[in-house]
Every structure is written in C-alpha cells, then in structure tokens.
Amino acid sequence: MIGIILWSDAADRKAVIWCEDQGDLAYFSDPDLTYSDDTFLDVGDVVEFEVKTQRNMRLAANPRWIKQNAGSTLADGLRAVPMTQDHVISNTAQVIPFRAEPAPRARHTREDVKKRLG
C-alpha cells in the first residue's frame, strides 16, 4: 500500500497514514525503531508499507520512503475543510487539491535513509 503521512510523533514513533485506496487511515507504531528523531516519518512523506487489519483498525508495518515532504500541504488542506455541526453527509464530494512541494528537504538523503534502514 502507498500513503501519505498525515501526522507523526518522532518521540513515540507513531504515525497516521492516508492510504491510496481512500479507505480507513492506517496507524503505525513501533517504539523499538532505531530512527533518530530527525529521520522519522514526517508529515507529507509518501511511504510504501504493509497493511493488516486488527480489531477493525488498519495497522501499517515496514514503512519505506518513496518521496519525502511531497504532500506537506495535504494535512493543512484537510483541516481547512469545514464540518457541519450535525455532520450531515452530503451527496457531493469536496476535492482537496494535492500539490507536491517543489524540492525535497535536504536533511534526508536517499543514501542516509538506506543506511539507517539497512
């Protein structure tokens, strides 16, 4: 599965991933990872991962970077969508534009990631 990191916590080694199939979000948690805080998954990173369902929740495993910081504006776009007070489901969809950032961050190079992931 491929997805975009919507939220992450480097200290707790947790992340929430929006999946390519537009189904339920996937949750990643692995407190034993050897990532340093500055190389953990960041909001906007596009990752490939294995997914399994446990107790009606999607769990992500073995995330691998495809592109870093490609969708950093996506989480902000989702937060900006207004919610109705009664949460009525409408018959129309609201499309959130997805635009890739112009350049990847320099602090995570492909070689650095390969070295850390083994």
Side-chain angles (χ1 to χ4, degrees):
M1 178 85 61
I2 295 174
I4 298 175
I5 305 297
L6 292 179
W7 174 88
S8 71
D9 184 329
D12 288 337
R13 304 295 193 257
K14 295 180 181 181
V16 176
I17 306 170
W18 188 3
C19 302
E20 67 182 323
D21 66 358
Q22 303 298 306
D24 292 338
L25 299 174
Y27 300 92
F28 174 72
S29 177
D30 193 348
D32 298 326
L33 280 176
T34 58
Y35 290 102
S36 66
D37 285 353
D38 64 340
T39 60
F40 189 70
L41 305 168
D42 287 326
V43 171
D45 289 351
V46 178
V47 293
E48 183 177 15
F49 56 96
E50 297 166 22
V51 65
K52 63 181 177 180
T53 303
Q54 184 177 23
R55 297 184 185 153
N56 297 324
M57 185 167 54
R58 274 184 164 174
L59 301 176
N62 302 318
R64 296 166 300 281
W65 278 292
I66 292 177
K67 188 168 184 176
Q68 294 175 314
N69 201 29
S72 61
T73 59
L74 182 61
D76 292 334
L78 291 170
R79 275 196 286 289
V81 175
M83 294 289 290
T84 60
Q85 287 186 338
D86 55 2
H87 303 286
V88 174
I89 298 173
S90 70
N91 292 331
T92 60
Q94 181 164 0
V95 177
I96 307 298
F98 175 77
R99 293 179 186 89
E101 294 295 320
R105 293 184 308 221
R107 67 180 183 161
H108 300 292
T109 66
R110 186 174 295 273
E111 292 303 316
D112 289 339
V113 172
K114 286 180 183 178
K115 287 177 187 175
R116 287 187 174 94
L117 295 178

